[in-house]
Structures are given as C-alpha cells and as structure tokens.
C-alpha cells in the first residue's frame, strides 16, 4: 500500500539488533497502514522512539530526546515510546513525559495497527489499553500498571498503551518488514528470555521465551532468497534455547542446529549468522552444523560475562568457567577456524581484584576476536539490585580500561596472522575518502580493500581479497583478480 502523504512518521532506534529488526517490522507495519517514513522529526506527524533499557545510559538517552522535542507538541505532533523502556516504565512515561501519547512494549507490536487507529481518533475515546494481561500476576507486570486511570480530568492527549506482560505467548510475525539492507536480512527465531541473569532487564521487558515454528522461519528465509538476499542473520536473546513449537506443516520439529543447517541449505543463501548464543544451551551439534554446512558462518558470539566462577554464580549464569571453556574447545576443534567473540561485564557487585584478574586471564586463554565490555549498570526489577558491595563507578571505569587495553593487545596479535591470507568478502559499499571498498568476511571481520578501476566490485557481491595490513579491529587488503 502506498503511504498517505498526510500521515508521516519518524522512527529512531536505540539498542541491539533485535531492536533494529523490530523497527524494520514496525516501519513495514506503519507503511502498510498508510504512513510514510520521513528522515527528520520536523517533517513528521508521529515521532517514535524504539528504546533500550539494558543499561541506564541507554534509558536516559530517550528521556533526553523526549525533553528536547517537547516544543514540537505545539505543532500538533504526536509521540510514541516503543520497546524496552516502554515496557519497563509503562504508564509512568505519561507522567514523566506528558506529551507522549503511545507507550508500547515489544510484546504488543502485533496490536500496532489498532493502536494507530486509536491514536488518530478524537481524544474523548481514550485512554485505551491494548494490554491483554491486566488480570495476571502483578509481580511480573510492567512497572506503572498500578497507576489509577480514574483521574478526575480527562487527559488532554490520547493515551494508548500496549503493555503485554511476561506471560504473553504471542510473537510479532508480519509480512510487512521494511528491510534496510538489500543483501543481508534478519529473521527473528525466538523472542523473550527465561534465563533471568541477575543483572538483566530483558526477561522483564521482552517477556517469556517463545519460538517461531521452523517452517515459518524457513518460509521467510526462502522468500528472502527469492528477493535476492544472500545473507541471513537469525536473531534471538538466546537463539540456542530455540524450541520448535509445532513442527509445522511437514510435522518435523527441528533443534536449533537443525534449523541453522536447514536455513544454510536454502538455495541462494550464501551466509547464515546467528546471535546471541548462551553458553548453557550451546551444544556440540552447533559446531557439527558449522562443519557440515559451508554457508554457516565461522563466527560464534558466546558472551561469557566473567571469568570468575564466584561472579558467574552471583550473576546466575548457571555455568562455570570450565564449562564455558569446554564449549570454546569444541569450537577450536572445528574443521574451519571459528572466530569467537564475547560480552563481558566489569564491576558486578562484589567483583574483587582476584575475580577481575580471572576475567583477564580468560581473555588470554580464549583469544577472542572482539569483546563488547560494559560497566555493570543496576537495572530496575533485577535480582542484583539486592546485592551489597557495589563497586564505585571510578573503579568500574578503571577495570573497563584495563580490560579493553588487554583485549586490544590480543586482537593486534590475532589480526596480524591473517596478513597474506585470502578470504571471501561480501562487498558492503565504498569508502570514497579512502578509495577503498568495504568488505566483511564469513568470520565477521571487516576486510577493506582496493581494486583496479576496471574491476570495481558491486555492493552485495562476493569477491576474494588478500589481506596485506592488519589493525586491532580490521584488515586491509587487495582484490584478487
Ligand atoms: N542474551 C544475551 C546473553 O545472554 O548474553 C545478551 C543480551 S544483552 C542485550 C547484551 C549484553 O548486555 C549482555 O551480554 C551483557 O554483557 C550486557 N548487559 C546486560 N545487562 C547489563 C547490565 N545491567 N549492566 C551492564 N551490562 C549489561
Ligand atoms: Fe539477559 Fe541473561 Fe536473558 Fe541474555 S540470557 S537476555 S543476559 S537474562
């Protein structure tokens, strides 16, 4: 459906790939409902933020944005807060940012079309709730649900909420996904999380774990291949706790490793990636699948969070350093070299110098190709809020610096060994200023390269590149002609 020029929206996304892909689905849904996406808030009738609350900083960004744009309310614009902050703060957002009309958590996106209709309706018909869960246990309900709606004065603005609680078993499946990259696309295979790591808001903001049928995932993969996509990234907070719910039309229930292999065998698909894996559910069958199916990329992101058993226990990760290293050993025994990356949190309550030293030694032992490291950030509702021994922010920053510089040294050595090797890259685009093409290897490394003018590669194509120079985070090379 083509957009109605009178209804325009601006959407800004914060946070992880799950949020980026949710936004692609939200954009597709809005466009189908007759809205047109615009590039600036000034051009938009409806301004939406798809928010992240994984750390306090991410959450604060949204409230700053909302405060900045308050003046735009006078121009008749409407504001909506989507995603994790919406789910976490619930109706409290209306108090903190009274110019907001729509608050919708990710578990309620399927109701967006009806919410949009309400948003356009005269204010007298509101407030309107699309929460299915008002009668369920308040313990797991989003914050703010307790707010009374019996305010004496009618609210001056539309106030619409979609705040399904943890118990929802609905997935957001839509045929209207506005994919932003013409060659590489995301497919959500599992939503929510049941792990309840002590520091993490995700189980509260994204609901319980619910998997799509493997048949519907495969149908989406085939459709994408038909449209010319060659790379697929399977998404979920814990992709390897995937459980095929129904078996689909064929009646076949697939494990995560089987689904991975099946997506990798879809004709036209040349690369399959997956994120994020949880060490607890990471089995050797995933490595076997990578060995057996060449289109499965030789890269695994396996967040460890800490190298100390004491801290892992306090984090409720439910694995030990030894068990984690066993998974690393499976990967290191694979036929192709698998690039391994991780997430680490420093300064978790009670983390001693000794614990931190164990994390540093784990970095040396594994030899990661990249580590995303974060200072522990206390989050609402999470069990770690109850823990004593908070680490001062200055000390968290120091540990973060030490960790990043140790990891940089490791990467300098690791990237150097690729000099002289030839890798296939997907061409992502061109950096005109540097006169280089931007490439990505199957191991998810950036390998930029030069090419003769008469052999300029096309974005989205796959070419062979010989690495000639290494940096801590990337490689530089030349096209093999
Ligand atoms: N599901 C993934 C897993 O289990 O590893 C990670 C999801 S989370 C969006 C991404 C990363 O954010 C986590 O791996 C963790 O390192 C970090 N993170 C989550 N909660 C945090 C907190 N409260 N403070 C600091 N970092 C946090
Ligand atoms: Fe958060 Fe842990 Fe779930 Fe990952 S597994 S999303 S870190 S609770």
């Amino acid at each position: 459906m083509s957009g109605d020029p009178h209804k325009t929206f601006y959407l800004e996304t914060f946070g992880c790939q799950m949020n980026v892909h949710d936004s692609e689905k939200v954009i597709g849904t809005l466009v189908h409902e007759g809205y047109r996406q615009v590039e600036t808030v000034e051009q938009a009738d409806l301004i939406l933020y798809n928010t992240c609350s994984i750390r306090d900083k991410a959450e604060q960004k949204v409230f700053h944005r909302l405060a900045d744009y308050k003046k735009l309310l006078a121009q008749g614009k409407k504001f909506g807060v989507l995603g994790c902050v919406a789910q976490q703060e619930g109706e409290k957002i209306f108090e903190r940012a009274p110019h907001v009309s729509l608050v919708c958590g990710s578990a309620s996106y399927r109701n967006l079309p009806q919410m949009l209709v309400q948003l356009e309706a005269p204010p007298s018909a509101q407030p309107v709730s699309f929460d299915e869960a008002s009668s369920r246990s308040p313990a797991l309900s989003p914050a703010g649900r307790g707010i009374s709606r019996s305010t004496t004065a009618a609210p001056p603005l539309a106030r619409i909420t979609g705040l399904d609680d943890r118990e929802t078993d609905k997935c957001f499946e839509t045929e209207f996904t506005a994919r932003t990259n013409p060659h590489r696309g995301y497919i959500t295979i599992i939503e929510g999380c049941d792990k309840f790591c002590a520091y993490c808001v995700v189980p509260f903001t994204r609901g319980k774990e619910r998997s799509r049928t493997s048949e519907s995932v495969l149908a989406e993969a085939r459709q994408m291949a038909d449209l010319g996509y060659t790379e697929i990234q399977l998404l979920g907070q814990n992709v390897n706790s995937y459980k095929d719910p129904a078996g689909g039309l064929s009646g076949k229930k697939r494990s995560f490793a089987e689904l991975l292999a099946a997506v990798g065998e879809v004709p036209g698909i040349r690369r399959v990636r997956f994120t994020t894996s949880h060490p607890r559910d990471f089995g050797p069958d995933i490595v076997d699948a990578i060995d057996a199916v060449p289109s499965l990329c030789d890269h695994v992101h396996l967040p460890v969070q800490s190298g100390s058993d004491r801290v892992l226990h306090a984090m409720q990760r439910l694995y030990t350093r030894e068990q984690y290293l066993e998974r690393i050993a499976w990967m290191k025994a694979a036929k192709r070299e698998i690039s391994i990356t991780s997430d680490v949190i420093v300064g978790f309550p009670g983390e001693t110098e000794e614990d931190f030293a164990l994390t540093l030694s784990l970095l040396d032992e594994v030899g990661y190709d990249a580590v995303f490291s974060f200072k522990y950030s206390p989050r609402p509702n999470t069990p770690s809020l109850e823990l004593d021994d908070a680490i001062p922010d200055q000390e968290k920053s120091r540990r973060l610096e030490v960790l990043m510089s140790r990891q940089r040294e490791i990467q300098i050595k690791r990237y150097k060994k690729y000099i002289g090797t030839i890798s296939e890259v997907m061409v992502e685009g061109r950096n005109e200023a540097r006169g280089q093409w931007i490439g990505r290897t199957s191991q998810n490394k950036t390998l930029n390269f030069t090419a003769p003018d008469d052999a300029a590669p096309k974005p989205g194509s796959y070419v062979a590149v010989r690495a000639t120079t290494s940096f801590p985070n990337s490689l530089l090379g030349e096209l093999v002609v």
Side-chain angles (χ1 to χ4, degrees):
M1 189 184 285
S2 67
D4 169 353
H6 300 296
K7 293 200 287 185
T8 53
F9 73 98
Y10 169 86
L11 172 62
E12 184 173 353
T13 306
F14 299 85
C16 63
Q17 283 148 317
M18 294 287 287
N19 264 12
V20 170
H21 185 43
D22 281 348
S23 286
E24 291 181 338
K25 295 194 260 186
V26 167
I27 292 168
T29 305
L30 263 77
V31 169
H32 182 73
E33 294 301 315
Y35 285 76
R36 183 166 57 86
Q37 188 179 14
V38 291
E39 296 297 316
T40 64
V41 285
E42 287 74 21
Q43 294 168 291
D45 300 318
L46 172 62
I47 297 165
L48 298 171
Y49 296 107
N50 187 3
T51 61
C52 170
S53 65
I54 198 82
R55 283 168 290 276
D56 187 55
K57 236 186 190 166
E59 184 181 330
Q60 294 316 322
K61 260 190 209 164
V62 178
F63 286 106
H64 284 138
R65 280 286 198 290
L66 285 168
D68 282 354
Y69 295 142
K70 206 169 170 179
K71 55 186 182 295
L72 296 175
L73 185 69
Q75 299 168 16
K77 296 181 191 301
K78 290 177 179 160
F79 294 83
V81 178
L82 312 178
C84 291
V85 175
Q87 188 66 32
Q88 178 189 293
E89 296 299 305
E91 292 166 13
K92 282 195 230 163
I93 290 176
F94 295 134
E95 290 174 7
R96 203 161 157 188
H99 52 301
V100 169
S101 290
L102 170 71
V103 171
C104 178
S106 64
S108 304
Y109 288 159
R110 66 185 187 287
N111 296 325
L112 267 175
Q114 299 94 294
M115 290 184 195
L116 294 170
V117 170
Q118 287 300 330
L119 201 60
E120 300 296 331
S124 59
Q126 291 135 9
V128 178
S129 153
F130 287 82
D131 322 351
E132 279 180 6
S134 337
S135 60
R136 295 202 191 107
S137 157
L140 289 174
S141 294
R145 188 187 297 290
I147 286 176
S148 162
R149 303 227 179 125
S150 60
T151 39
T152 40
L157 284 171
R159 289 202 160 168
I160 297 152
T161 60
L163 296 167
D164 274 351
D165 69 8
R166 255 194 69 75
E167 297 314 310
T168 186
D169 53 7
K170 306 269 178 21
C171 285
F172 180 36
E173 289 194 36
T174 170
E175 51 188 305
F176 310 115
T177 302
R179 297 189 189 277
T180 42
N181 182 312
H183 314 294
R184 166 187 303 140
Y186 296 122
I187 300 183
T188 308
I189 63 165
I190 178 168
E191 294 188 25
C193 180
D194 288 345
K195 291 280 189 285
F196 288 97
C197 299
Y199 50 81
C200 186
V201 285
V202 169
F204 304 95
T205 57
R206 286 192 165 269
K208 72 177 180 193
E209 249 175 40
R210 48 214 193 272
S211 301
R212 284 173 65 184
T213 64
S214 61
E215 287 301 327
S216 97
V217 172
L218 283 167
E220 191 170 345
R222 287 186 206 108
Q223 194 188 35
M224 286 171 65
D226 289 346
L227 290 169
Y229 291 88
T230 57
E231 181 175 318
I232 283 178
Q233 186 156 353
L234 302 180
L235 287 185
Q237 290 301 339
N238 288 299
V239 280
N240 41 24
S241 50
Y242 175 82
K243 281 177 204 67
D244 199 348
L249 288 176
S250 71
K252 182 168 167 48
K253 273 196 184 223
R254 292 177 177 86
S255 67
F256 171 64
E258 287 168 341
L259 174 60
L260 202 53
V263 174
E265 277 157 2
V266 168
I269 296 303
R270 294 182 63 157
R271 284 185 176 177
V272 181
R273 304 186 184 280
F274 54 98
T275 196
T276 298
S277 292
H278 190 293
R280 245 166 92 193
D281 303 312
F282 189 91
D285 55 342
I286 297 173
V287 180
D288 293 343
I290 294 174
D291 272 345
V293 183
S295 59
L296 302 188
C297 288
D298 36 9
H299 168 227
V300 172
H301 184 64
L302 195 66
V304 67
Q305 313 298 358
S306 169
S308 152
D309 282 343
R310 225 178 53 78
V311 175
L312 287 173
H313 180 73
M315 287 178 164
Q316 296 172 25
R317 290 289 285 181
L318 305 189
Y319 55 81
T320 61
R321 176 186 176 110
E322 194 188 337
Q323 286 166 332
Y324 181 84
L325 288 172
E326 187 186 18
R327 280 135 186 84
I328 299 294
W330 295 336
M331 288 190 261
K332 289 196 172 169
K335 288 184 195 151
R336 283 180 284 166
E337 185 199 40
I338 295 180
S339 168
I340 306 167
T341 57
S342 196
D343 294 346
V344 170
I345 296 177
V346 298
F348 188 75
E351 182 190 66
T352 61
E353 267 302 327
E354 234 177 8
D355 294 318
F356 178 58
L358 284 165
T359 300
L360 295 178
S361 76
L362 185 98
L363 300 189
D364 294 334
E365 208 166 331
V366 176
Y368 292 112
D369 277 337
V371 170
F372 301 89
S373 44
F374 310 101
K375 291 193 278 184
Y376 166 70
S377 167
R379 304 311 296 132
N381 303 318
T382 58
S384 61
L385 280 182
E386 308 295 321
L387 299 176
D388 294 334
D389 300 330
I391 314 265
D393 190 59
Q394 211 181 358
E395 177 56 16
K396 286 188 207 166
S397 301
R398 188 193 68 80
R399 290 185 192 178
L400 191 68
E401 282 294 315
V402 171
L403 186 135
M404 288 187 337
S405 97
R406 175 79 71 100
Q407 179 55 27
R408 191 181 148 87
E409 294 305 313
I410 293 169
Q411 282 176 219
I412 288 174
K413 281 196 203 126
R414 285 200 52 81
Y415 273 67
K416 216 173 234 167
K417 75 185 176 89
Y418 291 96
I419 294 178
T421 63
I422 294 178
S423 306
E424 183 184 64
V425 303
M426 186 211 246
V427 182
E428 294 190 336
R430 175 144 175 99
N431 182 331
E432 284 299 344
R434 290 191 176 165
Q436 292 168 4
W437 295 92
I438 302 163
R440 186 161 298 274
T441 68
S442 168
Q443 286 197 337
N444 207 30
K445 292 190 171 71
T446 300
L447 171 47
N448 299 329
F449 61 99
T450 52
D453 287 347
D454 59 356
K458 271 203 206 115
S461 65
Y462 292 81
V463 295
V465 175
R466 179 182 294 104
T468 53
T469 313
S470 72
F471 303 101
N473 287 302
S474 67
L475 295 159
L476 178 61
E478 54 202 18
L479 182 75
V480 177
V481 278

